[in-house]
Amino acid sequence: DGGITQSPKYLFRKEGQNVTLSCEQNLNHDAMYWYRQDPGQGLRLIYYSQIVNDFQKGDIAEGYSVSREKKESFPLTVTSAQKNPTAFYLCASSIDPTGAGELFFGEGSRLTVL
Amino acid sequence: RKEVEQDPGPFNVPEGATVAFNCTYSNSASQSFFWYRQDCRKEPKLLMSVYSSGNEDGRFTAQLNRASQYISLLIRDSKLSDSATYLCVVNYHTGRRALTFGSGTRLQVQP
C-alpha cells in the first residue's frame, strides 16, 4: 500500500537533547512538508521541500533542521535550540510541487520533552 | 488579521441537523481551497476541495466567495460520525509553495 510512514509515533526527550523524526513516502511525490500542531491549534509549517537536495523554511523553522537526500525521505531534527518542542509533528507529501495540491499525511509523531 | 480564520466552536448539534462553517482568508491572490477533517489525536484527511462554482459530495457542500474572501462548508443530516475538527486550508502565500491551515472548527454531533 502506498503512503507515508512516520516514526516514532511517541517520543520522549530530555531538555538539551536533539531528536530526529523520520518520514518516508512511497507515493513517488516530489513535494514533502513538515507541520507542527499544538493543542487546539491548526498546523504550522516548519520546512518544506519540492525536490531532492533542496528545502525551504516555513513559518517556524527556528530550532529545527531537515535534509532531503532521497526523494522518499524527509527527516526532521528537533534541536536543543527549539524552546518549546513538545507538540504533534506531521509529515505530508503532495504530487503537486506548486504547493496548491492535496496533501497526504503520515500518522504523526508526538514529542514530549521531560 | 489571521491569514486563515475560523470560528473554533465547538458546534454542538443534534443528529440530523444541518450545520455550516465559514472560513475567511486574507490574501485575495489565493487560488486553492480545501476542507480537511481531523479526528482527535489523528492526522488530517482531505474532506473535499473547494471549487469556484461550488461543489457537493453527498451530505457535504462547499462554496467559495472570492469577493468576500471566504469559503464555507455545509453538512446536512449530521451523523454521530461527523464529530471531528474541520480545518480550512488555503494556498495563502503565492510566493511559497505550501498550504496554510486555519485553527479548525470543532463539531460535536449529539444523539
Side-chain angles (χ1 to χ4, degrees):
Chain A
D1 272 17
I4 300 180
T5 302
Q6 288 187 242
S7 63
K9 286 192 82 169
Y10 299 94
L11 185 62
F12 297 89
R13 184 193 100 174
K14 291 183 182 178
E15 279 193 30
Q17 287 181 335
N18 291 357
V19 62
T20 297
L21 308 180
S22 169
C23 178
E24 303 278 332
Q25 55 103 354
N26 60 4
L27 299 167
N28 200 33
H29 288 172
D30 285 312
M32 295 188 75
Y33 307 83
W34 275 104
Y35 287 89
R36 167 182 171 144
Q37 187 174 35
D38 293 285
Q41 297 191 33
L43 281 64
R44 292 184 290 166
L45 183 67
I46 305 173
Y47 269 99
Y48 64 105
S49 168
Q50 259 70 47
I51 197 169
V52 174
N53 292 323
D54 189 38
F55 48 82
Q56 285 77 40
K57 293 181 179 180
D59 297 315
I60 55 166
E62 186 175 349
Y64 299 98
S65 66
V66 293
S67 63
R68 187 87 187 275
E69 297 175 4
K70 298 186 300 182
K71 186 175 184 177
E72 307 80 40
S73 179
F74 191 41
L76 174 74
T77 297
V78 185
T79 75
S80 56
Q82 170 49 235
K83 298 304 177 194
N84 186 19
T86 294
F88 187 39
Y89 291 89
L90 288 155
C91 178
S93 71
S94 177
I95 197 168
D96 182 348
T98 69
E102 178 186 355
L103 292 178
F104 293 82
F105 283 91
E107 292 185 339
S109 292
R110 208 166 286 275
L111 172 63
T112 302
V113 173
L114 302 172
Chain B
R1 183 181 174 185
K2 282 187 181 177
E3 299 171 345
V4 180
E5 197 151 7
Q6 298 182 248
D7 181 342
F11 284 59
N12 295 303
V13 303
E15 270 187 292
T18 295
V19 61
F21 308 136
N22 283 338
C23 165
T24 58
Y25 59 96
S26 52
N27 183 357
S28 60
S30 298
Q31 293 295 323
S32 296
F33 309 90
F34 307 89
W35 283 103
Y36 276 71
R37 171 196 167 124
Q38 186 175 26
D39 293 300
C40 189
R41 299 179 70 81
K42 299 285 191 180
E43 75 276 19
K45 293 185 179 176
L46 179 68
L47 178 66
M48 57 198 306
S49 302
V50 185
Y51 303 119
S52 296
S53 54
N55 47 301
E56 189 174 303
D57 182 2
R59 297 182 293 109
F60 299 85
T61 300
Q63 300 222 311
L64 168 64
N65 184 319
R66 284 191 186 274
S68 301
Q69 293 178 213
Y70 78 81
I71 66 173
S72 64
L73 176 68
L74 182 78
I75 305 176
R76 290 180 298 277
D77 189 23
S78 299
K79 312 289 184 192
L80 294 175
S81 57
D82 293 333
S83 297
T85 296
Y86 291 83
L87 302 168
C88 172
V89 186
V90 176
N91 73 322
Y92 178 83
H93 291 279
T94 50
R96 187 176 77 184
R97 299 181 175 187
L99 295 173
T100 298
F101 285 73
S103 299
T105 298
R106 195 154 68 86
L107 171 66
Q108 185 66 47
V109 181
Q110 293 162 339

